[in-house]
Amino acid sequence: MSLPAELEALLRNRIRDVPDWPTAGVVFKDIAPLLADPVTFRAAIDALAELVRAEPVDKVAGIEARGFILGAPLAYACGVGFVPVRKAGKLPGDLVSASYSLEYGTATVEVQVDAFAAGDRILIVDDVLATGGTAAAAVDLVRRAGAEVVGFAVLIELEFLAGRDQLPDVPVHSLLQL
Ligand code: AMP
């Protein structure tokens, strides 16, 4: 989806580049200024909500941790439920897990087995799509928990890392391409 130029400029101005963080060579996209400004926070959630209006969903699944910050108000605004996709070891009860590769080593994300009803239509949300490993693991997790992934929505897509190539059969919606 393409944003009105004025809104795009507003959002871009509230994203801070932090060079060489958390490791050398990475430019961290810090969305704290965008979240702290009520105008841009609302604008970002409203723009993401437009996606949900175009594609009806039953639940929003947010990826820990910044996917919670965006996904929970998005679910609330759309009148649907929210499911946290959490890092390993945070959730009680019976879980579904998916592991994925990071630059060094692996990480695991989890949801509770009863998080979704069979066939639920799920929109997965995160703040940044980089290499796509996190998003692909979340898609795998939601599907193995018995639900259907109808889209992956992010505030920022780092196009040079080609993360959407890891999600060949999932519609990817990014508000900003940086
Ligand atoms: P990836 O699995 O490589 O697509 O990384 C995506 C996850 O890592 C998201 O949950 C982001 O919050 C975080 N992330 C990766 N790269 C960045 C970046 N340059 N700036 C901010 N967050 C990032």
Side-chain angles (χ1 to χ4, degrees):
M1 94 181 242
S2 65
L3 288 177
E6 196 181 332
L7 174 56
E8 179 167 346
L10 201 65
L11 296 178
R12 280 177 182 259
N13 283 338
R14 289 285 184 276
I15 294 166
R16 182 165 48 201
D17 279 0
V18 184
D20 297 318
W21 200 88
T23 54
V26 172
V27 179
F28 184 79
K29 300 294 181 184
D30 182 9
I31 64 167
L34 182 152
L35 298 172
D37 177 338
V39 173
T40 49
F41 186 28
R42 182 184 288 274
I45 299 303
D46 287 349
L48 289 169
E50 284 298 315
L51 303 174
V52 181
R53 274 186 269 284
E55 180 74 76
V57 306
D58 296 306
K59 292 186 180 82
V60 170
I63 302 175
E64 187 170 359
R66 289 182 295 277
F68 294 176
I69 299 170
L70 299 172
L74 174 61
Y76 181 87
C78 297
V80 302
F82 176 80
V83 172
V85 174
R86 299 218 61 178
K87 306 269 169 64
K90 302 287 188 182
L91 287 170
D94 292 334
L95 307 174
V96 183
S97 301
S99 294
Y100 58 102
S101 298
L102 294 169
E103 205 169 357
Y104 303 109
T106 62
T108 300
V109 283
E110 299 178 330
V111 292
Q112 290 168 316
V113 287
D114 57 358
F116 308 110
D120 263 357
R121 295 166 56 81
I122 306 303
L123 179 74
I124 303 174
V125 175
D126 206 354
D127 64 332
V128 172
L129 176 63
T131 65
T134 309
V139 168
D140 178 43
L141 195 60
V142 171
R143 288 178 174 159
R144 285 199 288 111
E148 181 190 349
V149 178
V150 296
F152 177 77
V154 276
L155 193 55
I156 300 166
E157 177 178 6
L158 300 178
E159 281 188 312
F160 69 99
L161 292 173
R164 66 170 61 220
D165 292 354
Q166 305 301 317
L167 310 168
D169 53 357
V170 177
V172 175
H173 310 282
S174 55
L175 292 187
L176 300 171
Q177 299 78 39
L178 301 179

